[in-house]
């Protein structure tokens, strides 16, 4: 059976989506989520160019992540109520506009507003992954979603590396401009490739948000997962929001070196299948506790950085 055409309303697929469509969705997820992390290696350059302090410029990635959290809460539920294809295309345009506004920002307040909007619209990735799940039949859903998630992880991994190199060579504004163009190109590809999707709910928007509250009340495991992931995200963001500034101040290193730390994200990708196997044997809570302990050890090691010579600081960070 052929892959659904553009006019098709997808509900219960009987055939796997074409490899080209899966690739388009993987690229879309990767480019959209990368928008969250482009700024982090460039903070030193941004602070210097806009003549602002380290604390103030640290609000750029903070507001980006805040916008992302708000977008997941307030915008992601719309995928149940409306055609996901339309949401994906609309968010692609708005994300590109937000990235373009960041590139043109003349002062820090304008960049902060643009950063918040980038985070809101980068929830485009949270529409693409469910769309992949809907397009795949039950027997191949894990495989298809896994490929799209690979694109998303690559976006997280490579975004800092690319932005660090581009910003050091041509400036941070060029990086935001290129990001806007990449999102527009990705949106154009998905406009041609994606079919239409049937809505799965007739609830109005307030009722959709209310259903989230019902899930929160009824699922204690959900509450624990949200709490633990929120706290881990705080630590994750604190590290990346200050890394580039510290490297610039302590070691005189530029955005390219800060971006190269994104390669460390490969450790997470490589550990994922191992963690999955251990989770099957020991249970997810045990593996989560082990991972949290490893993160704690890593942060504890950073407490000694102020007593170390510069030559020893870089290996410690790695």
């Amino acid at each position: 059976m052929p892959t659904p055409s553009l006019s098709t309303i997808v509900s219960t697929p009987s055939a796997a989506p074409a490899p080209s469509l899966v690739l388009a969705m993987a690229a879309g997820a990767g480019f959209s989520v990368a928008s969250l992390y482009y700024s982090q290696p460039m903070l030193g350059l941004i602070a210097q160019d806009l003549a602002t302090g380290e604390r103030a410029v640290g609000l750029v990635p903070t507001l980006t992540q805040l916008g992302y959290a708000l977008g997941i809460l307030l915008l992601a539920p719309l995928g149940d109520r409306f055609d996901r294809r339309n949401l994906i295309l609309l968010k692609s345009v708005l994300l590109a506009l937000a990235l373009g506004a960041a590139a043109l920002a003349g002062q820090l307040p304008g960049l902060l507003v643009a950063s918040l909007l980038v985070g809101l619209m980068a929830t485009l990735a949270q529409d693409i992954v469910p769309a992949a799940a809907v397009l795949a039949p039950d027997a191949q859903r894990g495989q298809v979603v896994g490929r799209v998630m690979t694109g998303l992880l690559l976006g997280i991994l490579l975004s800092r590396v690319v932005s660090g190199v581009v910003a050091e060579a041509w400036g941070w504004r060029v990086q935001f401009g290129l990001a806007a163009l990449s999102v527009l190109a990705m949106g154009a590809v998905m406009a041609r490739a994606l079919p239409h999707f049937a809505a799965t709910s007739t609830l109005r928007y307030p009722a959709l948000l209310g259903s989230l509250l019902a899930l929160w009340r009824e699922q204690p495991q959900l509450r624990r997962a949200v709490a633990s992931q929120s706290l881990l995200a705080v630590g994750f963001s604190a590290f990346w929001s200050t890394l580039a500034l510290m490297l610039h101040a302590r070691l005189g290193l530029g955005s390219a070196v800060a971006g190269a730390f994104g390669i460390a994200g490969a450790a997470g990708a490589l550990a994922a299948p191992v963690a999955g196997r251990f989770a099957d044997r020991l249970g997810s809570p045990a593996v989560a506790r082990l991972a949290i302990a490893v993160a704690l050890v890593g942060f504890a090691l950073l407490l000694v950085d102020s007593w170390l010579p510069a030559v020893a600081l870089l290996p410690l960070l790695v």
Side-chain angles (χ1 to χ4, degrees), residues 201-220:
S201 173
T202 57
L203 293 176
R204 294 184 178 275
Y205 183 65
L208 279 175
L209 294 183
S211 68
L212 297 179
L213 294 176
L215 288 173
W216 178 263
R217 288 194 301 266
E218 297 167 5
Q219 301 292 335

Side-chain angles (χ1 to χ4, degrees), residues 173-227:
R173 296 181 187 276
V174 171
Q175 173 55 52
F176 278 128
L178 291 175
L181 292 175
S182 70
V183 170
L184 280 179
M186 172 266 296
V189 170
M190 288 194 294
R192 292 179 58 86
L194 282 176
H196 289 277
F197 293 81
T200 58
S201 173
T202 57
L203 293 176
R204 294 184 178 275
Y205 183 65
L208 279 175
L209 294 183
S211 68
L212 297 179
L213 294 176
L215 288 173
W216 178 263
R217 288 194 301 266
E218 297 167 5
Q219 301 292 335
Q221 289 183 333
L222 174 63
R223 295 196 295 269
R224 287 194 293 270
V226 169

Side-chain angles (χ1 to χ4, degrees), residues 220-244:
Q221 289 183 333
L222 174 63
R223 295 196 295 269
R224 287 194 293 270
V226 169
S228 62
Q229 289 299 304
S230 297
L231 293 170
L232 285 169
V234 167
F236 176 83
S237 299
F239 177 82
W240 281 104
S241 297
T242 55
L243 176 66

Side-chain angles (χ1 to χ4, degrees), residues 102-269:
L104 297 174
Q107 295 181 330
L108 183 63
L111 180 58
L112 293 179
V113 172
S115 298
L116 181 66
L117 295 175
V118 166
L120 279 168
M121 294 304 116
T123 51
L124 167 62
Q126 308 306 319
D127 293 302
I128 295 174
V129 174
V134 170
L135 287 172
D138 291 343
Q140 296 174 292
R141 184 160 295 143
Q143 180 182 9
V144 171
V145 172
R147 289 175 178 172
V148 174
M149 286 298 299
T150 297
L152 187 146
L153 290 171
L154 285 174
I156 296 174
L157 172 62
L158 298 177
S159 56
R160 300 183 186 93
V161 181
V162 171
S163 67
V165 172
V166 171
E168 188 160 305
W170 297 290
W172 62 273
R173 296 181 187 276
V174 171
Q175 173 55 52
F176 278 128
L178 291 175
L181 292 175
S182 70
V183 170
L184 280 179
M186 172 266 296
V189 170
M190 288 194 294
R192 292 179 58 86
L194 282 176
H196 289 277
F197 293 81
T200 58
S201 173
T202 57
L203 293 176
R204 294 184 178 275
Y205 183 65
L208 279 175
L209 294 183
S211 68
L212 297 179
L213 294 176
L215 288 173
W216 178 263
R217 288 194 301 266
E218 297 167 5
Q219 301 292 335
Q221 289 183 333
L222 174 63
R223 295 196 295 269
R224 287 194 293 270
V226 169
S228 62
Q229 289 299 304
S230 297
L231 293 170
L232 285 169
V234 167
F236 176 83
S237 299
F239 177 82
W240 281 104
S241 297
T242 55
L243 176 66
L245 297 171
M246 190 273 289
L247 289 174
H248 181 77
R250 288 278 304 273
L251 303 178
L253 298 174
S255 61
V257 175
F261 273 83
I263 298 174

Side-chain angles (χ1 to χ4, degrees), residues 8-31:
T8 300
I9 302 294
V10 175
S11 55
T12 54
S14 58
S20 59
L21 175 55
V22 177
L23 179 61
M25 289 189 292
F31 279 117

